[in-house]
Amino acid sequence: MAKVISTLFISADGVAEIDPDWHFPYFDDNMGRAVTEDYNAADVLLIGRETYDSFAGAWPDREAAGGDDAPFAKQLGDMRKVVVTRQPRQFTWRNSEVIDGDLVDAVAALKADAGIRGILIPGSISVVQQLLAAGLLDELRLLVHPVAARKGRKLFDEGDTPYHLAVTATESFPTGVIRVIYTPASAPGKVGYDDVKEQVPAGN
């Protein structure tokens, strides 16, 4: 079954809505390598409309320009891109399509497709939030910047049920950025009163 992986730049106070003023000063070769690893782990991009418009407005031109980032731009162009939107769209960027039906049902079908290795969600906060709530996200890959953004949309919305996460990998960069890879986890066990009572020696 294909993995669904979210990759996000995020501030220390949880803001995942990127502001170039706090993001780009920390982008270096280490972060570029981490991003490349994330994209190499998937063959399908799942993206919201705003993220798609941002990507489609930049990467095809960069591919055509033939600069240093042209190979990465070509990789993005060659990948299948599934766009989450309720609006009819005409796509000019190759290999782009509108998601078929309900988001949760469509992603469940993509995960079950034997021909798909991995599904990557770059940015697209609302998509990530919905898939977290539905239990369909397999990995949350965060590049945590050493800055408190203090404004902007946060990754985790308010809700009644906490999300428990297990850390599967961490890496620190010289810039102070920390790469953390999480997977969803069960709530840690709690020791009940009866369990504690049984551990207390009698006669005390």
Side-chain angles (χ1 to χ4, degrees):
M1 182 169 281
K3 277 188 176 182
V4 178
I5 301 168
S6 165
T7 179
L8 287 160
F9 304 124
I10 191 168
S11 68
D13 56 344
V15 173
E17 183 179 0
I18 298 175
D19 184 330
D21 288 342
W22 63 253
H23 165 60
F24 282 112
Y26 295 100
F27 197 98
D28 65 354
D29 290 342
N30 293 290
M31 191 181 292
R33 170 183 52 79
V35 170
T36 298
E37 290 175 4
D38 292 345
Y39 279 86
N40 287 344
D43 41 20
V44 173
L45 290 185
L46 178 66
I47 45 182
R49 180 186 55 80
E50 291 183 7
T51 302
Y52 177 84
D53 287 344
S54 175
F55 278 28
W59 289 112
D61 290 342
R62 294 182 184 181
E63 180 181 355
D68 291 342
D69 55 2
F72 181 66
K74 183 181 184 304
Q75 179 183 354
L76 293 182
D78 290 342
M79 292 179 75
R80 178 184 176 188
K81 291 168 284 293
V82 181
V83 185
V84 181
T85 178
R86 295 184 178 89
Q87 303 172 1
R89 297 295 301 268
Q90 294 292 326
F91 297 115
T92 58
W93 198 14
R94 67 185 184 277
N95 299 322
S96 300
E97 63 192 75
V98 174
I99 197 165
D100 183 16
D102 174 76
L103 172 63
V104 171
D105 292 341
V107 172
L110 289 170
K111 281 175 66 72
D113 188 332
I116 296 175
R117 178 170 52 93
I119 303 157
L120 185 68
I121 312 168
S124 307
I125 300 170
S126 63
V127 174
V128 175
Q129 289 175 342
Q130 291 176 70
L131 296 183
L132 269 172
L136 288 174
L137 195 70
D138 296 296
E139 287 187 359
L140 186 60
R141 301 187 178 190
L142 303 181
L143 287 160
V144 185
H145 295 49
V147 58
R150 303 184 66 194
K151 62 179 180 179
R153 190 174 182 187
K154 295 193 174 184
L155 169 58
F156 299 107
D157 54 0
E158 293 189 2
D160 297 328
T161 305
Y163 294 126
H164 295 277
L165 305 170
V167 177
T168 61
T170 61
E171 184 180 5
S172 297
F173 301 155
T175 57
V177 170
I178 301 173
R179 186 189 191 195
V180 187
I181 300 179
Y182 292 104
T183 58
S186 302
K190 296 183 179 180
V191 178
Y193 172 75
D194 290 338
D195 298 320
V196 174
K197 184 172 62 175
E198 290 176 0
Q199 297 173 18
V200 178
N204 291 335

